[in-house]
Amino acid sequence: MAFLLLLLTLTACAASPQDLSGKMFTFPQETNTARVILTPSPIQELRAVTVCHKSFTDLKRDHALFSLATQTYTNAFMIQWDETKKEVQPHIGDKKTEYRGQDYKPNMWHSVCTTWDSASGLVQLWFDGQPSMRKYVSFGAIRGSPIIILGQEQDTHGGGFDLKQCFVGMMSDVHMWDYTLSPCEMQKYVDDLNFTPGNVLNWRAMEFQIIDRVLIEDKLMTCH
């Protein structure tokens, strides 16, 4: 039974969309191989993006939270935590923005949403439902064949993983939209109310492939 569970863990994939409501991906160890590849809905280009996820970790080093790479840009849309500078760093088209002052405590769930609109060039971070200031990034559109990965940071299109950038912990409620969410929709997501699910990535109808040791478990919640 244990061997069967391990085999499923190493090779699991959802060939058809799977409802992951109430579930989480658990990344239980530091590795440069374990990852989840997410299959987005067909897209020609992205001129605006919102990515939201919820994560739980005790890492005290840099780590990637979301990695979207194309053939042209390895950090076409990437979110990472920089432990040295204590900041969340969204990357858009290989250009970095920096957000400081987030209360990124270990061993608790955090909600991280990032928006970007090519028309205005503005990037904004929403951390645990609190908006940051908007910052400017000059970038036209995300084009090509995106590869979206949880658990690792891509330094090449679909590869180039670094052990010291991997994510260890739990991740849930990953959604991606091809537009910027309104503040009200953002708050609904944070509070897990009746929000509009992502139209590029939808946690309630997700196609994905698990590589190496990543578990699908019931989402860790505290009892009251």
Side-chain angles (χ1 to χ4, degrees), residues 70-169:
T70 65
Q71 297 94 328
T72 307
Y73 300 100
T74 55
N75 292 327
F77 198 96
M78 193 269 285
I79 315 298
Q80 76 169 4
W81 170 257
D82 186 306
E83 177 66 20
T84 302
K85 296 181 178 180
K86 305 293 184 185
E87 62 189 23
V88 180
Q89 298 176 342
H91 295 241
I92 316 293
D94 289 351
K95 299 176 182 179
K96 180 177 68 175
T97 53
E98 301 165 332
Y99 290 98
R100 302 179 184 90
Q102 286 73 36
D103 192 12
Y104 193 45
K105 294 179 179 177
N107 294 313
M108 66 180 294
W109 284 104
H110 292 289
S111 168
V112 180
C113 292
T114 308
T115 68
W116 161 74
D117 184 355
S118 65
S120 63
L122 295 179
V123 179
Q124 188 170 30
L125 181 76
W126 294 70
F127 188 87
D128 288 340
Q130 298 301 309
S132 70
M133 66 172 287
R134 299 179 186 229
K135 297 190 176 184
Y136 179 76
V137 170
S138 175
F139 184 61
I142 298 173
R143 299 185 178 92
S145 302
I147 295 178
I148 302 175
I149 288 178
L150 303 178
Q152 302 288 341
E153 193 268 311
Q154 302 174 73
D155 285 331
T156 62
H157 188 223
F161 308 131
D162 184 341
L163 185 73
K164 294 304 179 182
Q165 291 180 314
C166 77
F167 177 80
V168 181

Side-chain angles (χ1 to χ4, degrees), residues 148-203:
I148 302 175
I149 288 178
L150 303 178
Q152 302 288 341
E153 193 268 311
Q154 302 174 73
D155 285 331
T156 62
H157 188 223
F161 308 131
D162 184 341
L163 185 73
K164 294 304 179 182
Q165 291 180 314
C166 77
F167 177 80
V168 181
M170 289 87 79
M171 195 166 291
S172 186
D173 302 308
V174 181
H175 289 267
M176 180 175 178
W177 297 260
D178 62 359
Y179 56 91
T180 58
L181 288 191
S182 69
C184 288
E185 280 289 317
M186 201 74 73
Q187 195 59 55
K188 287 180 181 178
Y189 168 82
V190 173
D191 295 335
D192 201 19
L193 299 175
N194 188 26
F195 65 92
T196 304
N199 62 346
V200 179
L201 294 173
N202 179 0
W203 191 250

Side-chain angles (χ1 to χ4, degrees), residues 24-91:
M24 65 183 183
F25 290 129
T26 297
F27 302 83
Q29 64 185 126
E30 190 172 84
T31 167
N32 65 352
T33 57
R35 60 197 185 275
V36 181
I37 303 170
L38 305 179
T39 303
S41 60
I43 48 177
Q44 297 297 319
E45 65 176 19
L46 289 167
R47 292 190 171 273
V49 171
T50 302
V51 169
C52 290
H53 75 274
K54 296 174 182 176
S55 60
F56 186 114
T57 185
D58 67 352
L59 285 173
K60 289 296 183 182
R61 59 161 172 76
D62 298 356
H63 53 275
L65 296 168
F66 183 90
S67 177
L68 185 158
T70 65
Q71 297 94 328
T72 307
Y73 300 100
T74 55
N75 292 327
F77 198 96
M78 193 269 285
I79 315 298
Q80 76 169 4
W81 170 257
D82 186 306
E83 177 66 20
T84 302
K85 296 181 178 180
K86 305 293 184 185
E87 62 189 23
V88 180
Q89 298 176 342
H91 295 241

